[in-house]
Amino acid sequence: MTTNCILERVIETRSTNDDLLERWRAGELVDPVARIAHKQTAGKGRAGRSWLAHPEDSLCFSLAYPFKRTPAELSGLSLLVGLAVLSGIAQACNYSESELHEAGLRLKWPNDLLINHQKLAGILIEGGQARAGDTTWMIIGIGINLRNTELIDLSVNNGLKVSSLAHITQSPPDIEYLWLKLVESLENHLQKFDLHGFQAYKELWMHWDAYLGQNVCISGVGRDPVFGIEKGVDDFGALLLLQENKIVTVHAGDVSVRIQS
Ligand code: BTN
């Protein structure tokens, strides 16, 4: 396995994202760093939620990655990360990507992985550019449920039911092996993304889109819910909604998408 990342393993920390963010803010990051924690005591989810995970039953890590692009040029990054994670899972579990698709794995805009509409993994991306002209450092945090989802507190998961790798494979891969496959896949995808942007991945992302063609509701703190039929994403990874006869574009932020029955 080949990776250009510095690999760090810790038994316990508050949050691997916070650890790397702190280093970025102190100007200490030089090369990409992947940091995995057996246990996080203050794991963070999106929109200020907590990420609760039982050490033996989940994989929690963050990757600090330097981009040549400015933060404004990184639209679609969270969607690309979803594609990289599912590709890493396929390799680690020895499945083809079409087998994963048949097993019900999908991507939920902007950045969740689902199995049969239940949450398998979450992605939290933070970071930016300290000063104009500096390298853009993004801290990409990933939490994947491996097994025993009945132990997870649903109230912290935005109401989504939870799934795990155990639902698609009898024996989830060894955590270390899965982690290295994910880091490798992320590095490959991020390198290409930095050169070409999201556009090259748009069709592929839509192949995995959990809600394509379905009635959805987009909601977020301080904004009115938006309803429409989900029509995939544009070249920048923004979500397209059909409302009556017009297409409305929704940009990623702290919004959540739900199926509207
Ligand atoms: C979400 O779905 O709300 C995003 C969850 C992201 C969780 C991961 S676990 C590793 C990294 N460290 C954190 O504190 N959060 C992310």
Side-chain angles (χ1 to χ4, degrees):
M1 235 171 294
T2 51
T3 168
N4 294 315
C5 289
I6 297 165
L7 299 173
E8 296 181 353
R9 301 163 180 86
V10 289
I11 298 290
E12 184 174 311
T13 188
R14 285 174 56 77
S15 153
T16 51
N17 259 42
D18 280 353
D19 293 346
L20 295 179
L21 272 174
E22 207 174 290
R23 263 189 248 166
W24 166 59
R25 291 194 182 111
E28 291 170 4
L29 292 175
V30 179
D31 292 314
V33 184
R35 183 173 173 86
I36 189 168
H38 178 66
K39 179 177 177 186
Q40 292 187 121
T41 54
K44 300 189 299 183
R46 289 181 66 226
R49 288 188 288 270
S50 301
W51 182 259
L52 301 181
H54 295 267
E56 303 303 331
D57 301 331
S58 65
L59 182 154
C60 296
F61 77 100
S62 303
L63 171 67
Y65 192 86
F67 291 90
K68 292 189 180 64
R69 289 173 175 254
T70 64
E73 294 166 337
L74 291 179
S75 54
L77 175 62
S78 66
L79 284 69
L80 183 277
V81 170
L83 287 172
V85 171
L86 72 82
S87 168
I89 288 175
Q91 288 170 48
C93 296
N94 218 4
Y95 281 140
S96 67
E97 293 192 11
S98 48
E99 283 170 324
L100 276 189
H101 199 272
E102 275 161 34
L105 199 138
R106 294 289 184 278
L107 296 174
K108 172 175 174 277
W109 187 90
N111 50 10
D112 284 337
L113 278 85
L114 309 181
I115 297 176
N116 298 322
H117 294 291
Q118 303 187 341
K119 184 156 170 169
L120 166 70
I123 297 164
L124 172 68
I125 303 182
E126 303 178 279
Q129 197 175 36
R131 274 174 304 271
D134 281 5
T135 300
T136 301
W137 279 95
M138 300 310 286
I139 316 299
I140 300 167
I142 295 167
I144 302 181
N145 304 319
L146 301 179
R147 58 182 82 79
N148 296 331
T149 45
E150 64 282 1
L151 300 175
I152 297 173
D153 179 358
L154 292 183
S155 63
V156 298
N157 208 19
N158 203 20
L160 258 185
K161 286 192 180 154
V162 183
S163 189
S164 73
L165 274 190
H167 287 100
I168 50 171
T169 169
Q170 298 269 310
S171 46
D174 168 67
I175 292 191
E176 172 82 10
Y177 182 69
L178 174 60
W179 180 50
L180 293 176
K181 284 290 180 196
L182 289 166
V183 171
E184 198 177 64
S185 174
L186 280 161
E187 269 192 291
N188 285 333
H189 282 78
L190 295 175
Q191 208 174 14
K192 290 188 192 127
F193 174 87
D194 205 14
L195 289 173
H196 308 298
F198 176 71
Q199 193 183 359
Y201 294 95
K202 182 176 98 168
E203 295 303 324
L204 181 61
W205 193 89
M206 290 205 281
H207 169 68
W208 293 94
D209 184 352
Y211 296 161
L212 190 66
Q214 305 200 40
N215 282 307
V216 295
C217 167
I218 315 277
S219 56
V221 183
R223 51 192 286 168
D224 292 334
V226 184
F227 298 90
I229 300 173
E230 210 257 60
K231 288 286 174 189
V233 292
D234 69 10
D235 288 351
F236 303 98
L239 192 73
L240 302 173
L241 284 188
L242 178 64
Q243 288 183 326
E244 292 165 8
N245 284 329
K246 68 173 194 309
I247 293 281
V248 175
T249 307
V250 182
H251 296 273
D254 280 336
V255 293
S256 72
V257 186
R258 281 161 200 270
I259 296 187
Q260 197 61 24
S261 41

